């Protein structure tokens, strides 16, 4: 994987995205040449149309990221990829039409846009036919040697067997001679030169997966492997990179303290984030006000009670604030206290089921963002009673409150809606990853991917 702004991106995705970007520029330029030749106009110099070409490619690529064109399913299924490409093209055309309205005379002719999009879709489908066969092989998978043969090593073995895995395990070495779970592991005593053994397997990375590291850390072996130019990684860091979450089962305070993350440089990023929140929330409130007002009336007519729902939530540094949403449940939904929302929850009204599914009930939260209690991106804020319970049952739960809560977040786009302690545990792993690796780039990626979740709802309740 390549680490870009503290976030890991698989080599296959980066390679495919770079090819798509080039093909988008080529498609737009071909469309320009075809259309100008049809009407007998001079094509002009490439430098004169460079900005429109880059604008077309960038906007379309952003739409592709937003709808999940580079997700695991799209990389494995041509049918899935084509469907997402068509949706991305539609969104890109809408976005480019808005740009053409805002910047008349500086963008593209509509006929060129049509030609470019047809050519782009054809070339990108062809790209996936040709490159897909390569991505499906081990050409882009890193070769990993695992030092360890216990439960941790078995977890890595299971992870490598999953579809879309970015690595291949070329061997296991039982460093202690005890607690062997992986049958094919080679005993360390049988290897005279570990560095030479690594080179012989063609391993590009060594992962330390010992069950007990106290007085068992093979420093001499690791030093020789490292000085031979092979990357050495620790189990928890490896899982964080490969899964996009912090693994609670193996997490310890020392790893959190000494691993990369929680950078002091985020103070500058926080200022930029707050400026974006103010500008975007103000604009969105203006645009969404008619929708909020319309559904407020519908909610009021559909069931007794106020149109808006207000509830105390836990925010930054554990401080409480008031969350505002369009009411989707009966007014007596919490007469016996706060409860998790369940599938086919009888407390949800008819209109409430619809506005939850399309996320309209979330729109009033933009006001909370404008006030500064929330951000557009961050961990989902929970009610105080849930937080008290979860802090008792889940380690490191309080650490998620070190960043401002958000309307959408890394957990929301990576894990379906959860309504249990176990679900909260899984979502906490993603929240900790976000808190540890937050950058404006990750925020942008999450906001783009949120569109995918809205278009293809995954468990909204």
């Amino acid at each position: 994987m390549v680490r870009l702004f503290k976030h890991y991106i698989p080599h296959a995705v980066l390679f495919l995205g770079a090819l798509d970007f080039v093909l988008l520029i080529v498609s737009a330029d071909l469309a320009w040449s075809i259309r100008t030749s049809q009407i007998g106009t001079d094509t002009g110099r490439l430098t004169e149309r460079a900005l429109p070409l880059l604008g077309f490619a960038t906007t379309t690529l952003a739409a592709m990221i937003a709808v999940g064109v580079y997700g695991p399913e799209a990389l494995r299924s041509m049918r899935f990829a084509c469907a997402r490409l068509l949706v991305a093209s539609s969104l890109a055309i809408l976005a480019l039409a808005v740009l053409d309205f805002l910047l008349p005379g500086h963008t593209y002719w509509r006929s060129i846009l049509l030609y470019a999009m047809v050519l782009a879709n054809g070339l990108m489908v062809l790209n996936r036919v040709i490159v897909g066969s390569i991505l499906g092989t081990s050409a882009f998978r890193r070769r990993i040697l695992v030092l360890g043969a216990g439960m941790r090593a078995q977890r890595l073995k299971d992870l490598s067997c999953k579809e879309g895995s970015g690595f291949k395990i070329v061997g296991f070495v039982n460093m202690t001679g005890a607690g062997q779970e992986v049958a094919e592991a080679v005993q360390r005593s049988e290897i005279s030169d570990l560095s030479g053994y690594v080179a012989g397997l063609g391993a590009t990375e060594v992962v330390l997966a010992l069950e007990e590291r106290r007085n068992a850390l093979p420093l001499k072996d690791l030093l020789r492997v490292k000085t031979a130019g092979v990357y050495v990684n620790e189990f928890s860091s490896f899982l964080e990179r490969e899964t996009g979450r912090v693994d609670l089962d193996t997490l310890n305070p020392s790893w959190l303290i000494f691993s990369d993350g929680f950078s002091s440089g985020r103070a500058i990023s926080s200022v930029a984030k707050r400026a974006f929140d103010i500008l975007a929330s103000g604009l969105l409130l203006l645009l969404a006000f008619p929708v909020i007002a319309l559904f407020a009336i519908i909610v009021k007519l559909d069931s007794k009670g106020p149109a808006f729902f207000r509830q105390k939530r836990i925010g930054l540094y554990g401080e409480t604030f008031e969350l505002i949403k369009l009411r989707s449940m009966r007014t007596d939904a919490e007469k016996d206290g706060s409860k998790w929302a369940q599938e086919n929850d009888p407390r949800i009204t008819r209109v409430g089921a619809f506005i939850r599914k399309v996320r309209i009930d979330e729109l009033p939260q933009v006001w909370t963002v404008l006030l500064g209690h929330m951000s557009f991106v961050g961990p989902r804020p929970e009610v105080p009673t849930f937080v008290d319970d979860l802090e008792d049952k889940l380690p490191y739960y309080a650490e998620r409150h070190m960043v401002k809560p958000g309307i959408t977040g890394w957990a929301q786009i990576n894990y379906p809606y959860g309504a249990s302690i176990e679900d909260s545990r899984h979502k906490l792993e993603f929240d900790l990853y976000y808190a540890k690796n937050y950058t404006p780039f990750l925020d942008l990626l999450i906001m783009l991917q949120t569109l995918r979740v809205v278009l293809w709802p995954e468990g909204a309740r």
Side-chain angles (χ1 to χ4, degrees), residues 78-89:
M78 179 58 68
R79 182 180 178 183
F80 192 97
C82 291
R84 293 290 168 103
L85 279 171
L86 289 174
V87 175
S89 299

Side-chain angles (χ1 to χ4, degrees), residues 274 281-282 285 292 310 322 324 362-374 376 407:
R274 180 57 188 150
S281 59
L285 278 174
I292 296 173
R310 300 171 184 270
E322 191 172 65
I324 305 173
E362 310 275 1
L363 286 177
Q365 291 182 69
V366 178
W367 173 250
T368 315
V369 173
L370 185 61
L371 292 178
H373 301 306
M374 290 178 64
F376 276 103
I407 297 176

